């Protein structure tokens, strides 16, 4: 049975259901920004939370992970977000920005697993790419050489002679970061010379391995994943890059592209055999919790929704494994701040 994700306007205030008040006071209004991938899950939790907590409103805005973290780290006070959705871990440099603005009590809550997926229009011949082939097709300078590939057959003669056209997220997106880390860098490091470069010059390695070509073969399609699905479904030969839940919700219009012979499914993402598997997070601003007691209740509701059999599993979120789930539940209870030394 097809699972349903709640889709609302990108800056949606979810009105409290059944209550007489609208929660106008700042203490009764929670603000969440960040990842477009995590957005539907947080939106669903927010809707249920408001039903159980009349008078409290939750504003959920899809800004992309990078832009959301920048807003989150801008300061403390009613004008700044309380939480940020992220489709990757917080970076050490981002935590430093947070700390410089007084945001030092950052709480990390893993909420589930997602798959960075490649999609194509439904009805097209099934496509199976390796991380090396994807890297060769998308890199600005594959293995330090001039990019000349115009079709996938130029990348590898075994692939179809279809023009390379990939629609994906912009640099501000956590999904773009995941594409670089999980796919492009791994494809790049298949060359021993690139591994050696990483040891010698990390900046040069990053530029060679993660910089995407800018000649039109890769199209930045924005943060609206539903719109990306629409574009790919109407463009035979095009490939899209987005989170697994959006693929699962649109299997009537698009189909998955296998990576290394592995098709993204709940099972292959959960056991991490799918190369694009990644954890999803919500980061909480601890400095706001005293003034907004509803934050703690929201975290508890989110933790309950992410478990096996929880509400979000029915909406396309792949639950964490048993050990990770237990750790996440404990973290939601302890609310211990992230250790800056653990960040990369």
């Amino acid at each position: 049975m097809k699972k349903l994700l709640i889709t609302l306007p990108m800056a949606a205030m979810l009105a409290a259901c059944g209550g007489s008040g609208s929660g106008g006071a700042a203490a009764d209004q929670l603000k969440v920004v960040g990842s477009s991938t995590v957005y539907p899950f947080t939106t669903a939790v927010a809707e249920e939370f408001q039903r159980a907590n009349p008078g409290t409103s939750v504003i959920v805005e899809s800004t992309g992970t990078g832009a959301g973290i920048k807003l989150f780290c801008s300061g403390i006070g009613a004008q700044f977000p309380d939480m940020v959705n992220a489709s990757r871990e917080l970076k050490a440099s981002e935590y430093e920005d947070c700390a410089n603005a007084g945001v030092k009590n950052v709480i990390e809550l893993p909420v589930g697993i997602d798959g960075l997926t490649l999609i194509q229009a439904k009805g097209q011949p099934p496509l199976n790419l390796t991380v090396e082939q994807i890297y060769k097709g998308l890199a600005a300078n594959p293995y330090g050489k001039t990019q000349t590939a115009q079709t996938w057959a130029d990348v590898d003669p075994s692939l179809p002679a279809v023009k390379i056209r990939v629609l994906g997220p912009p640099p501000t997106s956590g999904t773009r970061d995941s594409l670089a880390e999980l796919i492009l860098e791994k494809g790049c490091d298949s060359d021993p010379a690139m591994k050696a470069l990483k040891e010698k010059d990390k900046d040069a390695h990053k530029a060679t391995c993660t910089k995407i070509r800018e000649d039109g073969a890769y199209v930045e399609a924005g943060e609206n994943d539903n719109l990306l699905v629409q574009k790919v479904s109407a463009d035979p030969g095009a490939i899209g890059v987005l989170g697994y839940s959006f693929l699962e919700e649109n299997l009537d219009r698009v189909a998955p592209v296998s990576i290394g012979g592995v098709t993204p499914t709940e099972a292959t993402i959960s056991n991490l055999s799918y190369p694009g598997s990644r954890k999803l997070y919500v980061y909480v601003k601890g400095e706001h919790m005293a003034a907004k007691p509803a934050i703690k209740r929201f975290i508890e509701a989110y933790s309950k929704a992410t478990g096996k059999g929880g509400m979000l599993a029915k909406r396309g979120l792949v639950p964490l494994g048993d050990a990770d789930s237990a750790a996440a539940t404990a973290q939601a209870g302890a609310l211990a701040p992230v250790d800056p030394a653990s960040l990369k």
Side-chain angles (χ1 to χ4, degrees):
M1 181 177 180
K2 185 177 178 181
K3 299 175 184 175
L4 177 66
L5 285 177
I6 298 173
T7 56
L8 298 174
M10 284 301 177
M13 178 181 288
L14 304 171
C17 301
S20 58
S22 62
D28 295 325
Q29 184 183 88
L30 308 184
K31 299 178 182 178
V32 190
V33 295
S35 167
S36 62
T37 300
V38 187
Y39 170 79
F41 304 124
T42 300
T43 297
V45 174
E47 185 180 64
E48 291 297 317
F49 180 76
Q50 289 175 131
R51 289 196 182 104
N53 296 270
T56 300
S57 64
V58 184
I59 298 173
V60 186
E61 184 178 359
S62 177
T63 63
T65 296
I69 290 175
K70 186 174 182 179
L71 291 169
F72 176 82
C73 290
S74 294
I76 299 170
Q79 69 270 41
F80 301 109
D82 305 299
M83 290 167 272
V84 59
N85 299 320
S87 56
R88 57 163 172 79
E89 285 187 291
L90 184 73
K91 298 177 182 178
S93 60
E94 292 169 332
Y95 178 84
E96 185 176 346
D97 291 340
C98 270
N100 289 338
V103 183
K104 299 179 180 180
N105 187 4
V106 179
I107 301 162
E108 179 184 272
L109 301 173
V111 297
I113 305 174
D114 181 50
L116 172 77
T117 56
L118 305 186
I119 61 171
Q120 60 180 359
K122 191 175 180 65
Q124 295 299 299
L127 188 59
N128 176 33
L129 300 172
T130 66
V131 291
E132 293 88 351
Q133 290 167 342
I134 297 169
Y135 169 70
K136 289 178 182 178
L138 293 185
N141 300 104
Y143 306 120
K145 302 174 183 177
T146 301
Q147 175 62 270
T148 60
Q150 297 300 311
T151 71
W152 288 108
D154 293 335
V155 170
D156 189 314
S158 68
L159 297 176
V162 175
K163 185 177 180 180
I164 298 172
R165 178 172 167 78
V166 177
L167 284 65
T172 54
S173 170
T175 299
R176 174 73 167 260
D177 292 333
S178 295
L179 173 64
E181 178 183 351
L182 299 175
I183 306 298
L184 300 182
E185 191 168 345
K186 289 181 180 178
C188 180
D189 285 343
S190 63
D191 184 339
M194 293 298 102
K195 280 190 174 182
L197 179 62
K198 189 174 186 177
E199 296 296 324
K200 182 180 179 181
D201 189 336
K202 289 186 177 180
D203 289 340
H205 174 270
K206 182 177 180 180
T208 302
C209 291
T210 65
K211 182 174 175 56
I212 293 178
R213 60 196 298 180
E214 299 176 345
D215 58 356
Y218 182 90
V219 180
E220 292 181 4
E223 297 282 4
N224 189 332
D225 291 325
N226 286 306
L227 181 58
L228 190 150
V229 168
Q230 182 179 333
K231 289 180 177 179
V232 171
S233 66
D235 188 354
I239 292 175
V241 182
L242 40 57
Y244 172 71
S245 64
F246 288 92
L247 162 66
E248 190 179 43
E249 287 303 312
N250 292 280
L251 287 173
D252 57 332
R253 294 194 289 170
V254 295
V257 173
S258 297
I259 300 179
V262 183
T263 301
T265 65
E266 182 172 331
T268 60
I269 292 170
S270 181
N271 65 23
L272 305 182
S273 62
Y274 176 67
S277 298
R278 58 178 177 170
K279 287 184 181 179
L280 303 178
Y281 302 87
V282 172
Y283 288 93
V284 181
K285 190 174 294 178
E287 287 85 356
H288 281 192
M289 294 186 69
K292 296 187 176 185
I295 293 176
K296 187 174 188 299
R297 299 197 303 274
F298 184 77
I299 292 171
E300 291 168 349
Y302 214 130
S303 179
K304 182 178 179 181
T306 59
K308 291 183 178 179
M311 174 184 67
L312 295 184
K314 300 174 184 177
R315 297 175 182 269
L317 181 68
V318 179
L320 296 166
D322 291 341
D324 285 340
S325 179
T329 300
Q331 173 67 351
L335 299 177
V338 66
D339 178 6
S342 69
L343 302 175
K344 299 177 182 178

